[in-house]
Amino acid sequence: MAECPCGSGLDYEKCCSLYINDGIPVPTAEKLMRARYTSYAMGEIDFIMNTHEVDPKDREESRKATEEWAKGSEWQGLEIIKTTKGGESDDTGTVEFKAHYMVDRARYTHHELSKFGKKEGKWIFLEGQEINKPVHRDEPKVGRNDPCPCGSGKKYKKCCG
């Protein structure tokens, strides 16, 4: 038996496979998070889509993007940072996690705070907020000795810098 990708230390067949393949309802938000990570790692796109609230008009595009990310990445591990609520008797919960993966031999970490809720008694992923997302500049960085972009004619370091 192989160890489950979710990092629980259990065999896959006794862990996330129960939810992904056997259809057993996921009891907590954290276990759903672990099963969703495992689904990414194993390319089980149907489980990901079935446990994600997506607007029907965006479903096809969302599925395609999910499948590309899942199958184009080498999944390295899951860290659960913090869980708030999300127990068997709760209706909502959050899970902060880090998913480690590689694409083209480059390592990445996806750090997210995910919100979960129950719909018709079953846990589903509602939305995620990426934490510490890298900043991408729309314009080139202004150097210290470059003219200030405010138009003063001074060097950036002597003006707005």
Side-chain angles (χ1 to χ4, degrees):
M1 294 221 180
E3 188 174 317
C4 191
C6 80
S8 66
L10 299 172
D11 289 333
Y12 173 67
E13 297 299 323
K14 294 181 180 177
C15 192
C16 292
S17 177
L18 297 172
Y19 315 120
I20 297 167
N21 298 316
D22 298 346
I24 294 174
V26 183
T28 67
E30 181 179 331
K31 287 188 180 192
L32 178 57
M33 179 66 246
R34 290 181 178 281
R36 286 174 55 82
Y37 172 85
T38 298
S39 294
Y40 275 95
M42 301 187 81
E44 297 286 349
I45 308 308
D46 288 340
F47 183 82
I48 297 167
M49 297 308 297
N50 291 337
T51 58
H52 184 172
E53 187 170 71
V54 180
D55 188 327
K57 67 180 181 185
D58 299 329
R59 196 159 189 80
E60 182 79 25
E61 186 176 326
S62 179
R63 181 182 178 87
K64 183 178 178 187
T66 298
E67 190 166 7
E68 285 176 8
W69 189 30
K71 293 182 177 179
S73 302
E74 183 181 327
W75 298 91
Q76 303 287 303
L78 174 69
E79 278 180 74
I80 301 295
I81 309 295
K82 182 180 177 183
T83 301
T84 305
K85 293 189 176 182
E88 292 186 40
S89 61
D90 294 318
D91 289 326
T92 62
T94 61
V95 179
E96 181 181 349
F97 70 93
K98 289 182 180 180
H100 305 284
Y101 63 101
M102 292 178 65
V103 175
D104 296 328
R105 295 189 311 240
R107 294 183 180 273
Y108 297 94
T109 297
H110 179 79
H111 187 181
E112 182 177 296
L113 178 64
S114 291
K115 293 181 183 177
F116 295 89
K118 283 187 180 172
K119 187 173 184 178
E120 298 174 7
K122 295 180 181 180
W123 282 105
I124 59 166
F125 169 76
L126 299 174
E127 64 180 345
Q129 178 182 3
E130 197 168 347
I131 299 173
N132 296 329
K133 184 175 182 176
V135 176
H136 295 284
R137 299 179 194 279
D138 292 331
E139 298 176 11
K141 183 178 178 181
V142 178
R144 306 174 23 91
N145 292 316
D146 291 342
C148 191
C150 77
S152 68
K154 297 179 183 178
K155 288 185 179 184
Y156 179 66
K157 68 182 178 185
K158 297 281 186 180
C159 190
C160 296

